[in-house]
Amino acid sequence: MVPRKRNQDCLVVFQPSGRRGYVSQGKSIKAAAREIGVDIEGVCGEKATCGKCKIRIEAGYFDEYGIESRMSNVSQLCEAEGRLLSAQQQHDGYRLACQALIFGDVVVFVPEESRLGKHVMRKVPTERSINLKPAVKKYCIKVVPATLQDNLGDWERLRIELEKRFHLSNLAIDYQVLVSLQRVIRQSNWVVTVSVWMDSEVIKVEPGVVEKGYGLAVDIGTTTLAGYLCDLSNGEVMAADSMTNPQVHYGEDVMSRIGYAITHEGGCQRLNQVIVKALNQIAGRTAAGTGIKRQAIVDATVVGNTCMHHIFLNLDPQYLGKAPFTPSIHHSLNIKARDLGLRISPGAYVHVLPIEAGFVGADNVGALIAEEPYNQDDMTLIVDIGTNGELVLGNRDRLISASCATGPAFEGGEIRHGMRAAPGAVEKIEIAPDTKEVRFKVIGKKRWNTESGDTGAKGICGSGIIDAIAHLVRAGIVDRSGRFITDMETPRLRAADEGPEFVIAWANETSVGHDIVVCQKDVRNIQLAKGAMYAGAKIIMRRLGVERLDRILLAGAFGSQIDKESAALIGLFPDCALENVRAIGNAAGDGARIALLNVDKRAEAERVAKMVEYVELTMEPDFDKTFAEAMWFPHMREGFPHLQHLLHQKGTD
Amino acid sequence: MVPRKRNQDCLVVFQPSGRRGYVSQGKSIKAAAREIGVDIEGVCGEKATCGKCKIRIEAGYFDEYGIESRMSNVSQLCEAEGRLLSAQQQHDGYRLACQALIFGDVVVFVPEESRLGKHVMRKVPTERSINLKPAVKKYCIKVVPATLQDNLGDWERLRIELEKRFHLSNLAIDYQVLVSLQRVIRQSNWVVTVSVWMDSEVIKVEPGVVEKGYGLAVDIGTTTLAGYLCDLSNGEVMAADSMTNPQVHYGEDVMSRIGYAITHEGGCQRLNQVIVKALNQIAGRTAAGTGIKRQAIVDATVVGNTCMHHIFLNLDPQYLGKAPFTPSIHHSLNIKARDLGLRISPGAYVHVLPIEAGFVGADNVGALIAEEPYNQDDMTLIVDIGTNGELVLGNRDRLISASCATGPAFEGGEIRHGMRAAPGAVEKIEIAPDTKEVRFKVIGKKRWNTESGDTGAKGICGSGIIDAIAHLVRAGIVDRSGRFITDMETPRLRAADEGPEFVIAWANETSVGHDIVVCQKDVRNIQLAKGAMYAGAKIIMRRLGVERLDRILLAGAFGSQIDKESAALIGLFPDCALENVRAIGNAAGDGARIALLNVDKRAEAERVAKMVEYVELTMEPDFDKTFAEAMWFPHMREGFPHLQHLLHQKGTD
């Protein structure tokens, strides 16, 4: 397993996994981990700002590897590490994996909180009724065999038959299909099955009778990829698969990835290659799960936010990262799978849905064609709280979208003990208003902490943080401006160097060996994130002249995880009857699936993407004020008629 | 230069060139020569039927190479060699290079007549007036820079500008162009030059103002490739280039190449690769000659007979080689240059002209759109005597085509001392009717043999053979049925083992050290070839109900080389006023150039290709009789009013 040791190579051993390998001198520990296959957390794209990739250099002679691991075998502590690591951590040999460069043999300990947990995949397709009108249709025909009296070319023979029997006129043929046409036609005694794309191009010819064609709908999330393999003859989802977007190694959010693409030679290509490889894995796995060959996939649709869209298409995202944030293209695209490196049927087209503006991309368009607010009178707000927040508001008259930099707080980033929604993450939290005692539930465990001591808690994920803050506010421990009320009589609330903090899980209830807390800074970061979302919604409501929302749809994995009462209480969105707040699952992925199964919806997507007006929030003159007011729980000034019964408890007004 | 000797490798030294190299055991001498870069003749595609690749194994110890070359170092004489090599040749160590396999170190002598001469290129473009309407047009525009208030995508900005300023609507963009669009737009301060194909797709975007675009018209002849680089803004031919089709190594005529593709693993791919490589050389050389980059070539058109067409497109030609001779496709095609491996502007399309039927391919379509017989009342016969004979006859009412297996005789194949039109070939011959003395001229020499003893003659090429036979008939040495009249009093006519032969050049007038003769079998082979052409013409005349031809156009290099009086005299075509028999040069190549410069002519080509009826000559019930009669000089029965003055000389009636 370990590659041959070259001159100058250094042996790196990761503990506790024991994985090891030789890497060239000067490589960062993070890069070495990537190479060797050890997953280390990281949210900032190796810019030394998030501090999530803490590891410890183990010093001493390791007999089992025959090496001496020394602190001096890595580069000196840099300024950022001095800032992000406490004096004690520095003393104990902690480093940031993205900053420490390897110059000799080392043993690296990866503490549990820095280990990248296997992601919890929740991108399951939602049951939706979809009219079937796929782009690719199959036609089985018997071609009249050529004779000396009638030796017209094979393609012309096929074309005549397709016109005569199915009224398909002016068909073209994919060049690669043409290359094997004669052999295929003769393989099954002149009986072939022809796949025709958009009634205009033959994209596949197979020998004999082949009834079913398959399509793959793909949602490229910043954090999670989802793929749905569908039977194009009946619309059924044959297999669903999802996986962590492998680009997370290069940065957790879109801005870090853009940063990576800009600052690394060939960075854009690398990001593109890893995503294409991952999609090929999804294609291969869903096909294998369905018992078909990947070449039986004759159509594909792709959605993703503007940055994911660009990187998937190998379009340099650098211009998205700086004002005026201009994308390459808004229009939808049909590109041959082979030109994108997607290993499905080589003649197949990949339909990439159009993007709107800013980072509001094809994923949002997918959500729109799934929910069709443009066909309704109700004023609907669709909120997609992914790694990047996207909002779209409106009805049949008008639609306005906005994107806001929520930051990684909802994903557990920039939260002291935050982590992603992975096993070990505290996902539900309740605080008793009277005793201030805490009940919590951890992903991967069936029971709450109060029922079982073995919680295995490692940290808190986004839905847990939202619960925590909602309950801290309801219990009067945090006031509506976001400040801890320090004169509480509970051992859970305590003063620390960086200010007050509230203990969610005691060390003995965790698997990380220390208390898991919510600190003042965590509350501030959540305020920033939810304030941005709320302010965004408020500004587009104002643009539309709308006072009240009829309906709020929470899209994305996060929207399915959060408790909507907690979310409403902290003011993640403006007031709305809670029964009209609904999680719609992976609406972007559903949109991709809908576009896969119905070409009219592709045309609709193109129209809608053009129809949606985009508001660049940071350009709005009243943004700062709106944002500041929205940082309060649930808001500084606004009334929440639908939350009256909750807000009028003690300490919340 | 010589690759490292591996185990089992054999050193092969070719003389007189001295070129040498190591090859693996079991390789044929022909294959070794190809690998080492020594050109050896060959017409049959290494099927041991033409006997043109004779070489001699030199036995003995060669001090300079430190090897011993032994007859036993090559495989034993095979049956075909026993047939094709005389007893004397076998005794002297002669072998066929395509059959003798190498099993040890050898020194191989390549006699002059087996050396592949550098081809005489005559595929110069003909002056023609062409209406300019290229497929690719350039538009220089200033894109409005994006701002925060207006951050529409780059492609949409470009599209709007193209629509506003040039009324180009619904434009698409090539995916590869999109990939670099943003960088290019910003490279020259938002000023770009856009190349638009067929008013529908942006195939190139360049920074700044670029006025000229270039196109490449290519004629893939079985023997010769020709390329014309044209300025698309004014139609001017900037550079013309031609070279031997490198596929000749794998067989001289289309049937041998098809045979090679069928009998060799990956043969079709190999033939495709060598042709693509050659076209890339032509693109590179013409571009360099014009002082432009090959990427400045934004359009290309290709013509070729059906077999060349298929191989260029990597379409397996095997079905062309057997009844019912069905091609893959007749329609014209537009394929991205990058998909074909052509290294011009990567977004450029290559337009491949349609084919007619049988081997009457896109080259004939090219000739048709160049000469436009379908716009005339005159009954015109276009004869393309390439390695494969193609005929098309008709006027505005109807056009009929046919192809005939002329065999390689006109190219010097199957002729005792035949050779291609290369330096050293006797190209013009005159025989004095009284003295029977011979005057001849050799390619590469300015003077006739009667003016200079130093002729350097190596053999006779097609035009020389036609002259020779016409003069043998006129001088009464050969009668109209093709038989030598043996009771002539001239030392030039003599009896040999294989029958009578006539000496064209005495050994001392040659560079090969032996007499160059025309033998009875040569006359028979020419009769077969010209009989096939004549019979083909006669059959399509009958189909059309035509008695007399108004005009005969001789297309192709051979048509430009032959003496039309000699050709008429031997009956290469039916009677016609000689002033109306005209060589039109490389009409196929001119057709490619016309289609390059005028898209209406592409549509015309598509219409004409469909309009032309095809006659499969060998299927005609009276073909054998027509053919037999046509083998006579000029014909067994028909009158030749326009040749009366020549035919009424002694011995020709």
Side-chain angles (χ1 to χ4, degrees), chain A residues 146-149 151-156 159 175 182 186 313 319 324 326-331 335 619, chain B residues 146-149 151-156 159 175 182-183 186 313 319 324 326-331 335 619:
Chain A
T147 61
L148 271 172
Q149 286 71 31
N151 65 353
L152 201 61
D154 277 16
W155 165 235
E156 282 73 19
R159 210 168 181 249
Y175 170 54
Q182 295 202 289
R186 283 158 185 75
L313 291 170
Y319 308 102
T326 320
S328 271
I329 185 166
H330 295 270
H331 278 78
I335 303 175
M619 297 284 294
Chain B
T147 61
L148 271 173
Q149 287 71 32
N151 64 353
L152 201 62
D154 277 17
W155 165 236
E156 281 73 20
R159 211 167 179 249
Y175 169 55
Q182 294 201 292
R183 183 178 47 75
R186 284 158 184 77
L313 291 169
Y319 307 102
T326 322
S328 270
I329 185 167
H330 296 270
H331 279 78
I335 303 175
M619 297 283 297

Side-chain angles (χ1 to χ4, degrees), chain B residues 442-649:
Chain B
V442 169
I443 294 179
K445 299 291 172 183
K446 287 209 177 120
R447 291 185 288 176
W448 291 65
N449 69 319
T450 43
E451 297 157 6
S452 157
D454 164 34
T455 70
K458 288 169 64 178
I460 313 175
C461 68
S463 64
I465 288 281
I466 288 183
D467 268 2
I469 291 176
H471 280 267
L472 286 170
V473 174
R474 287 178 70 178
I477 303 165
V478 166
D479 72 12
R480 282 184 47 221
S481 75
R483 226 182 14 218
F484 271 96
I485 308 296
T486 47
D487 57 346
M488 288 276 156
E489 284 194 11
T490 162
R492 288 187 179 264
L493 184 61
R494 66 194 183 196
D497 287 351
E498 298 89 2
E501 61 185 30
F502 185 86
V503 178
I504 298 294
W506 297 108
N508 62 5
E509 292 175 306
T510 75
S511 68
V512 287
H514 59 70
D515 297 345
I516 292 173
V517 304
V518 171
C519 67
Q520 182 65 65
K521 202 169 156 220
D522 295 345
V523 177
R524 294 298 180 209
N525 280 331
I526 289 294
Q527 283 184 286
L528 288 170
K530 83 98 190 171
M533 294 292 292
Y534 193 105
K538 207 65 218 172
I539 285 171
I540 56 179
M541 283 172 77
R542 240 178 260 153
R543 268 283 179 103
L544 272 177
V546 167
E547 295 280 316
R548 282 278 172 273
L549 300 174
D550 296 322
R551 217 157 48 122
I552 294 178
L553 303 177
L554 303 174
F558 184 71
S560 305
Q561 287 159 22
I562 54 173
D563 180 84
K564 62 185 179 183
E565 193 175 279
S566 293
L569 258 178
I570 69 162
L572 189 63
F573 38 73
D575 187 54
C576 183
L578 280 187
E579 64 271 25
N580 292 334
V581 176
R582 186 162 57 85
I584 54 171
N586 182 12
D590 288 339
R593 194 158 52 90
I594 290 165
L596 177 71
L597 297 173
N598 187 322
V599 289
D600 292 343
K601 296 295 269 189
R602 298 186 187 184
E604 193 169 303
E606 192 85 87
R607 279 196 307 276
V608 170
K610 274 193 202 133
M611 166 190 176
V612 178
E613 301 161 45
Y614 177 73
V615 178
E616 181 60 54
L617 293 178
T618 52
M619 297 283 297
E620 292 295 300
D622 54 353
F623 179 73
D624 289 346
K625 181 163 171 282
T626 311
F627 182 30
E629 292 179 356
M631 297 221 309
W632 284 53
F633 299 120
H635 189 273
M636 187 194 272
R637 297 176 196 282
E638 300 198 342
F640 287 77
H642 293 100
L643 299 180
Q644 285 311 317
H645 59 295
L646 302 170
L647 290 171
H648 278 282
Q649 291 174 347

Side-chain angles (χ1 to χ4, degrees), chain B residues 15-328:
Chain B
Q15 287 183 335
S17 68
R19 279 182 175 251
R20 73 197 86 167
Y22 289 95
V23 300
S24 53
Q25 273 197 0
K27 197 156 262 187
S28 74
I29 290 175
K30 183 86 191 269
R34 201 153 52 221
E35 209 172 296
I36 292 165
V38 172
D39 289 331
I40 296 181
E41 270 284 4
V43 174
C44 66
E46 305 179 23
K47 288 205 298 260
T49 56
C50 76
K52 291 284 172 203
C53 64
K54 291 185 195 78
I55 49 83
R56 199 173 64 224
I57 304 296
E58 306 287 65
Y61 184 76
F62 290 79
D63 204 27
E64 67 269 46
Y65 316 124
I67 60 167
E68 187 168 5
S69 172
R70 281 185 300 225
M71 283 305 287
S72 60
N73 282 354
V74 291
S75 58
Q76 288 195 315
L77 213 68
C78 71
E79 179 273 332
E81 290 177 290
R83 209 163 6 87
L84 286 159
L85 299 167
S86 68
Q88 184 62 46
Q89 285 173 326
Q90 293 179 29
H91 177 264
D92 292 346
Y94 277 90
R95 299 295 303 267
L96 297 185
C98 69
Q99 296 304 306
L101 308 180
I102 300 165
F103 291 108
D105 298 340
V106 276
V107 173
V108 176
F109 181 80
V110 186
E112 184 158 8
E113 59 266 41
S114 298
R115 287 174 219 151
L116 199 62
K118 186 163 163 49
H119 216 72
V120 174
M121 306 304 179
R122 303 204 187 191
K123 292 202 167 180
V124 289
T126 311
E127 283 260 343
R128 290 176 187 274
S129 113
I130 302 169
N131 287 331
L132 209 60
K133 192 180 176 185
V136 177
K137 293 183 203 132
K138 290 206 175 243
Y139 301 94
C140 179
I141 57 172
K142 165 92 184 159
V143 182
V144 180
T147 61
L148 271 173
Q149 287 71 32
D150 164 25
N151 64 353
L152 201 62
D154 277 17
W155 165 236
E156 281 73 20
R157 310 184 85 76
L158 196 61
R159 211 167 179 249
I160 286 169
E161 216 58 38
L162 285 163
E163 173 140 23
K164 202 160 66 184
R165 298 224 9 236
F166 301 106
H167 309 290
L168 292 160
S169 52
N170 290 316
L171 284 182
I173 182 166
D174 176 73
Y175 169 55
Q176 290 299 340
V177 175
L178 180 65
V179 166
S180 58
L181 183 66
Q182 294 201 292
R183 183 178 47 75
V184 170
I185 281 188
R186 284 158 184 77
Q187 213 170 312
S188 199
N189 202 24
W190 300 77
V191 174
V192 289
T193 301
V194 180
S195 299
V196 178
W197 178 79
M198 298 296 266
D199 295 339
S200 69
E201 182 183 325
V202 169
I203 58 156
K204 190 182 178 95
V205 178
E206 297 159 277
V209 180
V210 182
E211 275 170 21
K212 289 199 180 287
Y214 299 86
L216 185 68
V218 174
D219 164 30
I220 306 180
T222 312
T223 307
T224 307
L225 309 177
Y228 309 120
L229 182 70
C230 301
D231 181 335
L232 296 178
S233 69
N234 58 21
E236 210 182 309
V237 177
M238 305 302 294
D241 191 18
S242 40
M243 63 190 286
T244 299
N245 185 333
Q247 295 175 344
V248 298
H249 280 301
Y250 304 95
E252 194 92 350
D253 59 23
V254 293
M255 289 311 289
S256 337
R257 303 228 184 122
I258 293 172
Y260 180 85
I262 293 172
T263 54
H264 291 74
E265 178 77 23
C268 176
Q269 283 70 29
R270 192 158 323 132
L271 291 174
N272 171 259
Q273 282 157 9
V274 300
I275 194 73
V276 168
K277 189 176 164 196
L279 296 190
N280 279 328
Q281 282 173 348
I282 287 180
R285 293 199 306 218
T286 51
T290 311
I292 61 164
K293 289 195 173 139
R294 54 165 77 233
Q295 284 78 13
I297 304 174
V298 289
D299 200 12
T301 50
V302 172
V303 298
N305 66 44
T306 306
C307 178
M308 294 303 105
H309 166 278
H310 272 50
I311 293 177
F312 169 64
L313 291 169
N314 203 20
L315 304 174
D316 190 337
Q318 66 165 298
Y319 307 102
L320 298 176
K322 57 189 178 203
F325 315 109
T326 322
S328 270

Side-chain angles (χ1 to χ4, degrees), chain A residues 280-336:
Chain A
N280 279 329
Q281 283 172 349
I282 287 180
R285 295 199 305 218
T286 51
T290 310
I292 61 164
K293 289 194 173 140
R294 55 164 78 234
Q295 285 77 16
I297 304 174
V298 288
D299 199 12
T301 50
V302 172
V303 300
N305 67 44
T306 307
C307 178
M308 293 303 105
H309 166 279
H310 272 50
I311 293 176
F312 168 65
L313 291 170
N314 204 20
L315 304 174
D316 191 337
Q318 66 166 299
Y319 308 102
L320 298 177
K322 57 189 179 201
F325 315 109
T326 320
S328 271
I329 185 166
H330 295 270
H331 278 78
S332 64
L333 285 163
N334 294 306
I335 303 175
K336 286 280 171 189

